[in-house]
Amino acid sequence: MAQAAEEIRRIVEEVLKGTDISALLGSSPGPSPGCGVLADVESAVQAASAAQRELAALPLETRSRMIEAMRQAVLSNNESLSREAVAETGLGNLRDKQAKNRLAAEKTPGVEDVQPSAFSDEHGLTLSERAPYGVIGAITPVTNPIATITCNSIGMIAAGNSVVFNVHPNAKRISNRLVSLLNEAILGAGGPRNLLCAVADPTIESAGALMKHPGVSLLVVTGGPGVVKAAMGSGKKAICAGPGNPPCVVDETADIVKAGRDIVAGASFDNNVACICEKEVLAVEGIAERLKHEMRANGAFELTGQQIEAVTRLVAPNFKGPRTESAPNKEMVGKDPSFIAKAAGIDAPAGTRLLLMEVGKDHPLVWTEQLMPVLPLVRMRSADEAIDFAVEVERGFRHTAMIHSHDIEKLSRMAKLMDCSLFVKNGPCYAGLGQGGAGFTSFTIASPTGEGITRARTFTRERRCTLVDYFRII
Ligand code: NAD
């Protein structure tokens, strides 16, 4: 209120001075610190709702310019954003955070993804267009704060929506800074103020209020099982990106040198905090030794005997029994491998990217989304046994899985049986998000609700208009 009053007073003063005030009105005023970051859910939804109406009146060309400006804002601030994200959350590492954020800025689809289509025949013409929902309530994780907000913002705005973010409390400084930065970019490109809003001090309670707010038409949540359950029970349309436990099968026909390299690269990426990272390796026994050799050659440090026990006790302290998920130790989630090794009393050599441990089928880490660079490997008698076990350990999330094989029958069998949103053949996990693999990216992979790798068109309602008997030109 005080800010609005101050703005009115400034404009009145300029009018009295005879100044042309057009630059001070509408969407033109320059950005202010904390632009789009509002005190509570109510004011955020109101501001986002007004901004969405303004957006609807703007030409698509302006929307495209806004998207381009948002991409540039992330790219040109990537290092400081990534550094602050690592510092605030204590998760991941600078190099990979930057790679993730660059990927989100460059490869999230924009306005081109929401093209209309038309059908015509002897009965006339039918138009099909992708309309916005209005205000989207988005809830984001601590693990990928920048990449998730970047890809959500680009896709949701490209589709004509505005957004209210309720970010993870442990990433609120960096997330809200990014929301401000993106809003400044939008304003600079001629877009409306407050198209992206964020609750300044987000909590689980404010997330609940956002979920129930009548001004919010769609929920998009990215996080663990709790937030997915809450969103699905909210009574609103919800797009939910939940947890996973991606298995990676390696059989005797695989290129083992490449598999070893790819698995270390994928499972160590941002210290394994991404939901898509390889979380357990199921290796056919004929190639298991060679695979471990290649993994060691690429920076995996293999733990043995007592070391395996010490690390297991440290990272999965609440063992609940064989073949059961065991909540990972939060103090170790997303930490560097050397930090985890040291905490378990082990000296990992310099350059260690991943802690590798060969374990049995019952080991808790095989069944747990550990979100840290500690990777269990289980020996399997055959590719088929590995594939069947992969389905079991993925535990029905239908999220992500990987296989390294040149046997087309095994590649196809696993693809079908996993039935997941993302399936990578012969590459690291992130190839499935367009990093070294074909296609666009997203950091909101909606498996529970089925939208998969979300994109601008995911955030639209399809509407059709039919004109009977006219407007054909042949
Ligand atoms: P989290 O579930 O702790 O938090 C995610 C967000 O949900 C936060 O903003 C949090 O405040 C909110 N939240 C949590 N419980 C809630 C509840 N009951 N009601 C309302 N809001 C609630 O998850 P996290 O630690 O931030 O992220 C890691 C988890 O997210 C992992 O399980 C990972 O697999 C998953 N994830 C999935 C994807 C995907 O695309 N599928 C992407 C990133 C992360």
Side-chain angles (χ1 to χ4, degrees), residues 139-144 148 166-169 203-204 207-208 211 222-227 230 241-244 273-275 369 371 399 443-447:
I139 296 181
T140 56
V142 69
T143 46
N144 313 316
T148 310
N166 196 88
V167 304
H168 195 292
T203 57
I204 299 278
M211 287 183 187
T222 309
V227 69
V273 287
C275 54
E369 187 192 35
L371 300 167
H399 192 301
F443 282 83
T444 293
I445 300 156
S447 302

Side-chain angles (χ1 to χ4, degrees), residues 228-306:
V228 169
K229 192 168 168 217
M232 289 177 88
S234 69
K236 276 198 203 306
K237 158 96 179 170
I239 294 174
C240 299
N245 189 32
C248 176
V249 165
V250 187
D251 79 6
E252 59 278 36
T253 69
D255 175 343
I256 302 300
V257 173
K258 177 169 161 41
R261 189 173 62 231
D262 286 352
I263 293 169
V264 174
S268 65
F269 187 61
D270 208 19
N271 291 345
N272 202 291
V273 287
C275 54
I276 58 158
C277 290
E278 290 83 351
K279 299 280 188 283
E280 56 277 334
V281 174
L282 312 177
V284 171
E285 56 195 359
I287 51 85
E289 280 307 326
R290 263 197 303 139
L291 179 67
K292 289 198 296 179
H293 171 82
E294 292 303 332
M295 290 177 71
R296 289 192 299 267
N298 283 281
F301 174 58
E302 187 175 4
L303 306 171
T304 52
Q306 294 292 314

Side-chain angles (χ1 to χ4, degrees), residues 39-267:
D40 51 35
V41 168
E42 186 56 43
S43 48
V45 174
Q46 279 187 23
S49 176
Q52 200 272 329
R53 286 193 296 276
E54 278 189 60
L55 176 66
L58 288 172
L60 277 179
E61 219 180 332
T62 310
R63 208 186 287 177
S64 296
R65 274 205 308 276
M66 289 157 43
I67 301 289
E68 186 49 37
M70 290 161 74
R71 296 188 198 281
Q72 288 310 322
V74 173
L75 292 173
S76 53
N77 291 282
N78 195 358
E79 192 188 336
S80 74
L81 287 169
S82 304
R83 200 175 285 288
E84 283 176 39
V86 173
E88 184 180 1
T89 64
L91 306 177
N93 62 64
L94 180 62
R95 190 192 65 170
D96 295 339
K97 280 266 186 280
Q98 284 183 268
K100 263 187 195 177
N101 302 339
R102 191 178 320 114
L103 182 63
E106 290 178 342
K107 293 191 91 173
T108 300
V111 173
E112 72 287 354
D113 197 44
V114 288
Q115 295 301 313
S117 57
F119 311 88
S120 81
D121 64 19
E122 69 279 15
H123 298 298
L125 178 75
T126 289
L127 269 181
S128 181
E129 296 190 341
R130 295 184 173 276
Y133 275 88
V135 178
I136 298 180
I139 296 181
T140 56
V142 69
T143 46
N144 313 316
I146 311 287
T148 310
I149 291 172
T150 300
C151 79
N152 278 186
S153 300
I154 291 175
M156 291 169 186
I157 289 180
N161 304 285
S162 61
V163 192
V164 175
F165 285 103
N166 196 88
V167 304
H168 195 292
N170 295 349
K172 72 179 174 193
R173 274 202 313 278
I174 187 59
S175 301
N176 289 350
R177 180 187 157 207
L178 176 61
V179 167
S180 288
L181 205 65
L182 293 171
N183 271 323
E184 288 172 12
I186 291 167
L187 276 171
R193 182 184 275 280
N194 293 330
L195 201 50
L196 301 171
C197 292
V199 179
D201 205 1
T203 57
I204 299 278
E205 289 68 36
S206 61
L210 186 63
M211 287 183 187
K212 289 194 196 79
H213 197 290
V216 171
S217 317
L218 172 68
L219 297 172
V220 178
V221 308
T222 309
V227 69
V228 169
K229 192 168 168 217
M232 289 177 88
S234 69
K236 276 198 203 306
K237 158 96 179 170
I239 294 174
C240 299
N245 189 32
C248 176
V249 165
V250 187
D251 79 6
E252 59 278 36
T253 69
D255 175 343
I256 302 300
V257 173
K258 177 169 161 41
R261 189 173 62 231
D262 286 352
I263 293 169
V264 174

